Amino acid sequence: MSSISVDVLALVARGLHESNGKEERNTVMSTLTGVLKRQARILDALAYISVSCAENQVVAVGIQTFPERTVIHVAENGRLAPETLDYLKDLFRRLQILHERRPDQQRSQRAPAYVRSHTTDPFEQELVHFEQKILLFCWNKQKQRLTKNARAANLRKIVDEVCGTPAAQRTDLSEPEAECLGSLQASAEFDRVQLEELGRTIGDLVTTLDLPPTSTGTLNLRTFLTAIAKICKNFRQKVEFVLLWNRYTELFVERTTTKTVFKAPDVLHWLSKVTAIREHFLQLADVATSTTLSTFLLNNFEIKAVANPVQQMSHSLSLQTLKSILAAAGCDMDEDSESAGEFLEMLAKAHDGGNLVTQASTPIHCDHTFRTLACQNFLADSAMTMYFAAYREATASPVCTRGTHGQTASWRCPPLDATLNAELNSRLQGVLSSKILTRIKKGWEQRRPSSLSSQSTDASEEEDRTIPEGALADDLKIARR
């Protein structure tokens, strides 16, 4: 396998992963405790709220600590936009103001989950402005998360169907659709008021994000996102109802769409992604109200861009090469001799218009530009966990990542350090190839007929925070006027 590059192996692993529709979060967070875990979550939040483009942007954030200062390193897949750096610097300055205005100066506390948009309290006013700044910067990406593949429109239509005509009276549905819809309508967990509120608020979000971003728009956006997060929290308690909802969503999509590359979303996963930005905002706001984290991050901080030049990539994938890769991974192809060809054809349809010969200017995945930072660093966002695991194994370096969403993204293997000797370089390549082959074997065993789906951004780990009912209800009335 030494003649096949890890770039090609990653292409195969990605295809298997996405065709299987698997999403499992790989993380090293379990090895971190206390302040270190909180620091890692903050970096995750910084990376998430730094994505402003609707498509093709990934941001990574790393950290170095020194006795006299803290350095935050930021990189993108390509050249870091100057406005991203200015935006992060402004956020840190706002965190300093929040810290100065915090109500209890003597102890650490968590930022409130929600405050009235038109509060007169100085700390709460600054908290609202801080959230507005984030929503304003992330406006286009937030719109993409909401409306991608007509998911918002589909959810609203499904709400109307579940809350509308009884399934037994519908003559336009197939037998599986009628049965599933009937089960939803008859479920003890069916809450018409809550579902109608969800559909209405999703519509409010779409209407708001369709307009150019404004200060008033960001106030409305924070209110609608909070309302949806509250409903999403209630949905988590309705396991059977959500399973039925997801099944009906699949049937609905099959009936109403002609797309060949589409995956019906898990409603909770999708709603969590839509509202994840508010959880990341709260993670950052907690910095200002924590005596430990504020000392660590806000005193003598520096934010620096990490260069990530675009480099040329060239590789191809033929049926013969694919069979060699599958054989090296230990995949069983005896039962279905045509399966490799079918998978290659499916992969080709989803890759560059059917072209599996790649010659393009490709950036190194931004997380990998950090791998030579000091050993106490943490990294955030969509890194390839396998690369860092191989790097730690080959070099005995403790550098680690915040975690990934389990997807094998399109990437180019970073060029290895010139300081590493040839033997160590070879060892790293071998370990990395072995880990990708293991993932290929697992993906081949789990494969099922399915269309390839696109990459998605990982949602945050939501924490339980109490939202004041009166404040949210009042702001919803104002936002809907």
Side-chain angles (χ1 to χ4, degrees), residues 38 98-112 123 285-295:
R38 295 184 68 188
L98 270 172
H99 182 66
E100 293 168 359
R101 294 183 179 180
R102 68 193 190 282
D104 192 333
Q105 301 284 328
Q106 303 302 318
R107 65 182 182 89
S108 292
Q109 55 193 302
R110 299 174 71 192
F123 171 79
D286 282 346
V287 172
T289 57
S290 166
T291 56
T292 303
L293 292 175
S294 59
T295 301

Side-chain angles (χ1 to χ4, degrees), residues 16 67 141 163 199 202 226-227 229 238 243 271 301 305 366-367 370 387 391 413:
L16 284 167
K141 184 61 182 179
C163 296
I202 288 291
T226 305
K238 304 179 177 183
L243 289 174
L271 290 176
F301 74 89
C366 56
D367 276 349
F370 288 118
Y387 179 86
Y391 190 81
C413 182

Side-chain angles (χ1 to χ4, degrees), residues 95 98 111 123 127 130 280-290:
L95 282 175
L98 270 172
F123 171 79
L127 190 66
F130 184 71
H280 289 299
F281 147 72
L282 289 170
Q283 288 282 357
L284 294 175
D286 282 346
V287 172
T289 57
S290 166

Side-chain angles (χ1 to χ4, degrees), residues 266-313:
D266 175 290
V267 65
L268 279 180
H269 179 67
W270 176 64
L271 290 176
S272 294
K273 287 174 62 177
V274 169
T275 59
I277 193 167
R278 67 178 305 275
E279 286 303 314
H280 289 299
F281 147 72
L282 289 170
Q283 288 282 357
L284 294 175
D286 282 346
V287 172
T289 57
S290 166
T291 56
T292 303
L293 292 175
S294 59
T295 301
F296 172 72
L297 284 172
L298 300 182
N299 292 341
N300 299 319
F301 74 89
E302 181 181 2
I303 301 178
K304 297 178 65 174
V306 178
N308 186 17
V310 173
Q311 301 186 25
Q312 196 72 15
M313 177 177 70

Side-chain angles (χ1 to χ4, degrees), residues 14-304:
R14 178 194 180 199
L16 284 167
H17 182 91
E18 294 195 349
S19 66
N20 289 337
K22 305 292 183 183
E23 286 195 40
E24 64 277 348
R25 185 174 181 85
N26 298 319
T27 180
V28 296
M29 284 293 286
S30 59
T31 65
L32 307 176
T33 58
V35 175
L36 293 180
K37 181 181 289 189
R38 295 184 68 188
Q39 291 168 4
R41 286 178 174 167
I42 290 164
L43 293 178
D44 195 28
L46 284 170
Y48 190 93
I49 56 91
S50 297
V51 177
S52 58
C53 299
E55 301 284 354
N56 302 322
Q57 184 188 18
V58 181
V59 178
V61 179
I63 191 168
Q64 278 183 300
T65 57
F66 303 95
E68 72 285 359
R69 63 192 174 104
T70 297
V71 182
I72 306 293
H73 298 269
V74 188
E76 286 190 24
N77 280 10
R79 186 180 68 87
L80 182 71
E83 54 266 28
T84 303
L85 207 60
D86 293 339
Y87 159 73
L88 287 174
K89 290 177 180 178
D90 182 58
L91 286 188
F92 270 78
R93 284 192 289 266
R94 289 175 182 271
L95 282 175
Q96 289 178 321
I97 296 174
L98 270 172
H99 182 66
E100 293 168 359
R101 294 183 179 180
R102 68 193 190 282
D104 192 333
Q105 301 284 328
Q106 303 302 318
R107 65 182 182 89
S108 292
Q109 55 193 302
R110 299 174 71 192
Y114 187 82
V115 298
R116 296 177 187 273
S117 292
H118 300 286
T119 178
T120 58
D121 178 84
F123 171 79
E124 293 182 348
Q125 285 180 332
E126 191 59 40
L127 190 66
V128 171
H129 294 158
F130 184 71
E131 187 173 7
Q132 283 184 282
K133 181 73 175 182
I134 293 172
L135 293 173
L136 192 67
F137 187 80
C138 302
W139 192 273
N140 291 332
K141 184 61 182 179
Q142 192 64 24
K143 179 179 179 180
Q144 186 261 357
R145 291 189 184 106
L146 180 68
T147 60
K148 181 179 180 181
N149 289 331
R151 289 176 179 176
N154 287 344
L155 182 136
R156 295 176 70 192
K157 291 175 184 176
I158 293 171
V159 167
D160 289 342
E161 292 198 4
V162 175
C163 296
T165 304
Q169 299 176 21
R170 296 278 298 270
T171 59
D172 59 321
L173 301 179
S174 66
E175 184 177 341
E177 285 179 290
E179 181 181 354
C180 190
L181 180 59
S183 297
L184 279 168
Q185 293 173 333
S187 171
E189 295 177 326
F190 171 41
D191 185 332
R192 181 184 301 273
V193 173
Q194 186 182 80
L195 282 182
E196 289 178 341
E197 176 65 13
L198 174 61
R200 182 184 183 186
T201 310
I202 288 291
D204 291 333
L205 265 183
V206 172
T207 300
T208 301
L209 289 167
D210 272 343
L211 298 173
T214 62
S215 176
T216 300
T218 56
L219 289 178
N220 294 340
L221 188 58
R222 69 184 291 268
T223 300
F224 296 142
L225 287 173
T226 305
I228 292 174
K230 182 174 177 289
I231 295 174
C232 188
K233 181 179 178 181
N234 292 335
F235 258 54
R236 289 193 180 91
Q237 313 303 318
K238 304 179 177 183
V239 178
E240 293 299 325
F241 188 81
V242 169
L243 289 174
L244 283 170
W245 186 281
N246 290 339
R247 175 56 182 155
Y248 191 69
T249 299
E250 292 177 358
L251 296 169
F252 177 87
V253 169
E254 290 174 4
R255 167 164 48 101
T256 60
T257 186
T258 57
K259 283 190 175 184
T260 57
V261 180
F262 188 85
K263 182 177 67 174
D266 175 290
V267 65
L268 279 180
H269 179 67
W270 176 64
L271 290 176
S272 294
K273 287 174 62 177
V274 169
T275 59
I277 193 167
R278 67 178 305 275
E279 286 303 314
H280 289 299
F281 147 72
L282 289 170
Q283 288 282 357
L284 294 175
D286 282 346
V287 172
T289 57
S290 166
T291 56
T292 303
L293 292 175
S294 59
T295 301
F296 172 72
L297 284 172
L298 300 182
N299 292 341
N300 299 319
F301 74 89
E302 181 181 2
I303 301 178
K304 297 178 65 174

Side-chain angles (χ1 to χ4, degrees), residues 308-411:
N308 186 17
V310 173
Q311 301 186 25
Q312 196 72 15
M313 177 177 70
S314 175
H315 64 245
S316 62
L317 180 62
S318 65
L319 180 58
Q320 182 179 356
T321 301
L322 175 60
K323 287 183 176 179
S324 298
I325 291 172
L326 295 173
C331 300
D332 184 5
M333 295 177 286
D334 293 337
E335 295 182 2
D336 184 3
S337 59
E338 303 298 324
S339 54
E342 292 172 358
F343 171 68
L344 185 68
E345 182 180 352
M346 183 179 64
L347 186 60
K349 288 179 181 179
H351 185 270
D352 196 22
N355 180 18
L356 282 172
V357 178
T358 300
Q359 271 190 312
S361 296
T362 305
I364 303 301
H365 198 290
C366 56
D367 276 349
H368 297 101
T369 64
F370 288 118
R371 72 186 188 287
T372 57
L373 292 179
C375 65
Q376 72 268 32
N377 293 354
F378 299 102
L379 302 173
D381 208 20
S382 306
M384 180 176 263
T385 302
M386 288 183 296
Y387 179 86
F388 284 100
Y391 190 81
R392 288 192 296 270
E393 189 173 327
T395 64
S397 167
V399 65
C400 62
T401 66
R402 162 68 172 88
T404 75
H405 41 58
Q407 294 177 323
T408 309
S410 179
W411 75 305

